[in-house]
Amino acid sequence: MRAQTCGATGVAVQVLGSGGPELQDKRASTSYLVWDRGRARAMVDAGGGSALRFGESEAKWSDLDVFLFSHFHVDHSGDFPALVFSSWFGDRRRPLPVYGPPGNQYMPSTTEFVRDLFGDPHGAWRYLSEMVEPHPEGTYELQPHDVEAGATWPMLAFHNDNMAVFAVRVVHGAFPALAWRVEMGGKRIVFSGDTNGEGDGLTKLAMNADLFIAHNAVPEDATGLERRLHMPPSVIGVTAGNAHVKQLVLSHRMLRTLGKEEETQTQIKLHYAGPVAFANDLDCFPVE
Ligand SMILES: [Zn+2]
């Protein structure tokens, strides 16, 4: 029998990947689906393992209205070509808009990333160049966009009849990165992506969110590079508290935070009084 679809009757977020880059955590790397009334409408990131989880979720690629990248570290983007090749055998015919950050010396822009994968003549998988260039026998087209969002105020990046999608630039070391807010069915869902929490753009983006998904990549005592890249629990708690979010889900769990859930929760509760959950792969969080 088919499993109950996540978000069959309303809006819900399904965690396809609750882990970070490490494979020993036995979790897929970062990826999320936003469901509305039985259809997966938006997808955020596609880290390694998420393609298999996508199949297990029973989502349909042809239902997606938009794909959002937080940034292009492998644990957020590595399974994107696998998902695209899978969809080549599916029934999608309409273009798929793909939004993500601009590039710099360390990372491609979103348009470059898609071209580096599928573009002719230099793309790694140029045999799929029909995905990026008009082609008479093409199945559908990927339409990448570089989102030049600021760090202080959310920017509308995409909207249609089902949703509005806002982005704010966040600090993730030297890597261009975005946090995303998806507004659907009257609900606000915010994805921190990877960030060290510097600045208050993420708080503005998350203001009054019905669901805030934050990345629990480092423990409270993190220093050095770890801390320049990621938010410790106290910063997650302060952000969730200041933004008055209704529900907090912790994902992007890593070997250095797994097993420390109690102290993580304690740190967060000093600043945020709402419900906190730790995500596992394929967990479905209905947005009430
Ligand atoms: Zn990451």
Side-chain angles (χ1 to χ4, degrees), residues 20-21 30 71 73 75-76 172 194 215 230 252:
T30 306
H71 65 297
H73 274 144
D75 60 314
H76 297 255
H172 182 41
D194 285 359
H215 286 181
H230 293 291
H252 200 294

Side-chain angles (χ1 to χ4, degrees), residues 100-122:
N104 69 3
Q105 66 197 106
Y106 305 110
M107 285 284 167
S109 67
T110 305
T111 49
E112 280 173 333
F113 178 76
V114 170
R115 202 186 324 125
D116 288 351
L117 296 179
F118 305 118
D120 197 20
H122 297 299

